C-alpha cells in the first residue's frame, strides 16, 4: 500500500513539475513588452526552439525549417491544422557544426555548416528519416564568423557568405570576407562580392532582382563607430571595403592607408554601430499597409561590446524604404526586446520569413521562440 501511495505521489509530482515547466515556458516571453505600429500584433508561432536562427519554408508555409548556431541542430516545424501555430517538430539533423543557414529549394533542403553545404533531397517526404548529401566541402574551417546564412537568388544560384576569420585583419585567402555563389548541385562556386566582413543576411529586390545585404562592422573602435551596414550589390565583382575602410568613410587605423576610399563601394544605409543587423526581407505581401510593400524589414540582433555607460543598442526590427538603389527612409518597426533599465536584452531577433498570408515570422535565438507578426485593419 505504501509502495502504491509512493508511486502515485511520484507520478503526481512529475505531472506537477511538467505543468510547472510548461507554464514557465509559456510565461517567459512577455509579448506585451513588444512595441509595434498601430494595427500590428505579435504572437508566438513556436516556442521551445532553442537557439532559433535562420528560417526557410515550403512554398505553402506549412513547414518552416530552422537552423542553429550553438545547439548544432536543424528542425522542421509544421503547422498541421492551419492556425498559424507550429504543433509538430521534426529534428532533421543533430551534432552538426554550426548549421546556421537553411534554404528550401525545389523540394530539397540545403543546410550550411562552417565548411560545407549539405542537401536533403525530397525533404518533405523524408522528415522522419532524412538523408543528406554533401554538395560542397571546401569552405574554410575557421569558427570565427564561420556561421553562414544561405539563400537562393533569382538566378537560381545558392549564395553563401564567408566571414572574416578575425575582428579585423588582411585575410590570406580571397575567399574570406566574401559572398560566394554556386549552382544547386554545388558546382561552379565563385566569389560574388568581396570586402564583406560578416554578412548574416541578404535578399533581392523583387522589382529589380538586385541584391541587398547586411554587414556587421568591426569591433574595438569605440562605442559609436563604425556603423553596421546595408549594402547594395547589383553585380558580381564589387568590393565593400573591409578591412581597409569601415562604413564607407572611416579608414582602418592599421590598414586604411593601403588603398584610397574610392576603391570601394560605400553602404547605402548606416545602421547604429554594433547593432548587428542580420536577416532581412523585402516584404511582398498584401496584409501590411501599402507602404511596406516591396520594402525591407531588418532584424537587428543587438550589441554585445558597447560599454555600460553607452548602453546596448539594437534588439529590434527596422523598416527601410528603398527606391532603386537608394534608401529614402528608415524607422523602427518593432522594439522592446531590450530592457533599458537593466541594459539587458531578453530577446534577440535573428531572421525574418514572410508567410503566404502576408504575416511575417521572426526568430529569436535568446528567448528560444519564433514570433508571428500580423496586421488587422
Amino acid at each position: 500500500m505504501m509502495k502504491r501511495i509512493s508511486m502515485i505521489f511520484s507520478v503526481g509530482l512529475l505531472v506537477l513539475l511538467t505543468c510547472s515547466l510548461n507554464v514557465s515556458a509559456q510565461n517567459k516571453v512577455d509579448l506585451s513588452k513588444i512595441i509595434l505600429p498601430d494595427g500590428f500584433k505579435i504572437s508566438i508561432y513556436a516556442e521551445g526552439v532553442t537557439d532559433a536562427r535562420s528560417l526557410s519554408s515550403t512554398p505553402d508555409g506549412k513547414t518552416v525549417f530552422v537552423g542553429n548556431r550553438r545547439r548544432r541542430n536543424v528542425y522542421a516545424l509544421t503547422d498541421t491544422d492551419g492556425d498559424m501555430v507550429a504543433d509538430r517538430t521534426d529534428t532533421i539533423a543533430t551534432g552538426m557544426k554550426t548549421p546556421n543557414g537553411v534554404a528550401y529549394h525545389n523540394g530539397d533542403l540545403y543546410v550550411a555548416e562552417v565548411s560545407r553545404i549539405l542537401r536533403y533531397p525530397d525533404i518533405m517526404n523524408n522528415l522522419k528519416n532524412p538523408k543528406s548529401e554533401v554538395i560542397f566541402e571546401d569552405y574554410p574551417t575557421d569558427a570565427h564568423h564561420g556561421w553562414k546564412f544561405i539563400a537562393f537568388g533569382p538566378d537560381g544560384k545558392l549564395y553563401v557568405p564567408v566571414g572574416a576569420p578575425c575582428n579585423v585583419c588582411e585575410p590570406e585567402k580571397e575567399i574570406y570576407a566574401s559572398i560566394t555563389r554556386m549552382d544547386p548541385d554545388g558546382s561552379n562556386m565563385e566569389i560574388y562580392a568581396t570586402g564583406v566582413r560578416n554578412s548574416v543576411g541578404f535578399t533581392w529586390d523583387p522589382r529589380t532582382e538586385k541584391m541587398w545585404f547586411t554587414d556587421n562592422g568591426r569591433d574595438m573602435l569605440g562605442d559609436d563607430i563604425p556603423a553596421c551596414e546595408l549594402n547594395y550589390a547589383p553585380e558580381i565583382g564589387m568590393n565593400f571595403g573591409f578591412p581597409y575602410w569601415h562604413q564607407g568613410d572611416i579608414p582602418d587605423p592599421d590598414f586604411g592607408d593601403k588603398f584610397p576610399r574610392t576603391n570601394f563601394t560605400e553602404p547605402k544605409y548606416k545602421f547604429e554601430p554594433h547593432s548587428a543587423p542580420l536577416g532581412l526581407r523585402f516584404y511582398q505581401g498584401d496584409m501590411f499597409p501599402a507602404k511596406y510593400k516591396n520594402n525591407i524589414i531588418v532584424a537587428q540582433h543587438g550589441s554585445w561590446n558597447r560599454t555600460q555607460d553607452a548602453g546596448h543598442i539594437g534588439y529590434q526590427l527596422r523598416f527601410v524604404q528603398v527606391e532603386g538603389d537608394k534608401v529614402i527612409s528608415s524607422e523602427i518597426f518593432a522594439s522592446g526586446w531590450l530592457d533599458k533599465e537593466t541594459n539587458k536584452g531578453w530577446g534577440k531577433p535573428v531572421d525574418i520569413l514572410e508567410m503566404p498570408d502576408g504575416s511575417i515570422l521572426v526568430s529569436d535565438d535568446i528567448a528560444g521562440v519564433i514570433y508571428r507578426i500580423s496586421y488587422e485593419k
Side-chain angles (χ1 to χ4, degrees):
M1 182 68 177
M2 290 299 294
K3 183 176 181 181
R4 183 182 177 191
I5 292 173
S6 176
M7 289 177 64
I8 292 173
F9 176 78
S10 297
V11 171
L13 180 60
L14 178 59
V15 171
L16 178 63
L17 287 173
T18 301
C19 291
S20 298
L21 287 172
N22 288 339
V23 169
S24 174
Q26 292 170 359
N27 290 343
K28 71 178 181 179
V29 177
D30 184 356
L31 295 180
S32 68
K33 294 180 179 179
I34 305 302
I35 302 168
L36 288 161
D38 290 343
F40 287 90
K41 70 175 185 177
I42 188 167
S43 58
I44 298 294
Y45 172 81
E47 63 182 351
V49 189
T50 305
D51 192 37
R53 294 281 295 187
S54 293
L55 303 174
S56 186
S57 74
T58 53
D60 61 9
K62 291 182 179 179
T63 297
V64 174
F65 301 98
V66 187
N68 272 186
R69 177 182 163 190
R70 297 181 179 89
R71 288 280 289 187
R72 310 178 73 187
N73 301 333
V74 176
Y75 302 106
L77 309 178
T78 302
D79 171 15
T80 62
D81 56 9
D83 65 351
M84 301 310 294
V85 176
D87 48 40
R88 191 184 82 199
T89 301
D90 292 292
T91 302
I92 303 300
T94 61
M96 302 185 79
K97 187 174 182 181
T98 318
N100 182 85
V102 291
Y104 181 86
H105 181 69
N106 289 344
D108 300 336
L109 177 65
Y110 292 75
V111 176
E113 292 187 281
V114 169
S115 62
R116 62 183 190 165
I117 307 295
L118 294 87
R119 178 171 59 191
Y120 292 80
D122 194 19
I123 186 61
M124 292 309 298
N125 289 318
N126 295 283
L127 287 177
K128 298 298 182 183
N129 188 30
K131 303 293 184 183
S132 67
E133 56 189 16
V134 177
I135 65 165
F136 190 87
E137 55 184 343
D138 292 329
Y139 284 119
T141 59
D142 307 74
H144 198 127
H145 298 147
W147 55 92
K148 291 172 169 54
F149 173 93
I150 58 174
F152 278 88
D155 55 6
K157 291 181 178 290
L158 179 64
Y159 285 73
V160 184
V162 181
C166 54
N167 172 34
V168 60
C169 59
E170 280 188 300
E172 294 181 359
K173 299 178 181 178
E174 186 184 14
I175 191 73
Y176 289 110
S178 74
I179 296 174
T180 69
R181 66 181 179 183
M182 65 180 68
D183 291 338
D185 62 0
S187 63
N188 298 316
M189 192 278 284
E190 62 182 347
I191 294 175
Y192 181 78
T194 56
V196 182
R197 179 178 178 270
N198 181 32
S199 178
V200 196
F202 33 81
T203 188
W204 288 264
D205 188 328
R207 296 160 296 188
T208 65
E209 297 190 341
K210 303 301 184 183
M211 175 190 275
W212 293 75
F213 69 89
T214 56
D215 194 12
N216 289 193
R218 66 156 291 178
D219 301 314
M220 309 309 174
L221 283 184
D223 289 329
D224 300 319
I225 58 170
C228 293
E229 301 175 5
L230 176 63
N231 289 295
Y232 177 64
E235 59 188 15
I236 191 171
M238 301 174 70
N239 188 310
F240 293 87
F242 179 85
Y244 308 103
W245 287 80
H246 309 290
Q247 70 172 50
D249 54 10
I250 294 179
D252 188 86
D254 295 320
F255 306 112
D257 59 353
K258 293 194 172 185
F259 298 100
R261 172 180 171 180
T262 52
N263 278 26
F264 310 111
T265 300
E266 298 190 6
K268 293 297 182 179
Y269 180 77
K270 298 176 185 178
F271 295 105
E272 302 92 324
H274 311 298
S275 62
L278 301 184
L280 72 166
R281 294 291 192 279
F282 274 88
Y283 182 76
Q284 299 178 56
D286 295 319
M287 176 186 285
F288 290 7
K291 79 170 190 177
Y292 294 94
K293 183 92 169 185
N294 294 327
N295 288 298
I296 303 172
I297 299 176
V298 185
Q300 292 182 268
H301 194 234
S303 57
W304 66 269
N305 68 333
R306 281 168 61 92
T307 63
Q308 186 69 26
D309 289 341
H312 285 303
I313 199 166
Y315 303 86
Q316 63 192 20
L317 304 181
R318 179 170 285 279
F319 171 63
V320 181
Q321 193 170 3
V322 303
E323 286 186 1
D325 64 350
K326 294 180 174 58
V327 171
I328 61 173
S329 69
S330 172
E331 62 191 54
I332 295 173
F333 174 66
S335 62
W337 287 281
L338 176 64
D339 186 331
K340 294 184 179 180
E341 290 186 3
T342 62
N343 193 34
K344 292 182 179 179
W346 58 268
K348 303 188 80 170
V350 178
D351 198 14
I352 296 166
L353 177 68
E354 185 178 329
M355 301 298 278
D357 70 346
S359 63
I360 62 171
L361 301 185
V362 181
S363 57
D364 183 332
D365 65 349
I366 298 298
V369 300
I370 297 173
Y371 308 98
R372 177 176 179 256
I373 298 177
S374 57
Y375 180 80
E376 294 181 357
K377 295 180 181 179

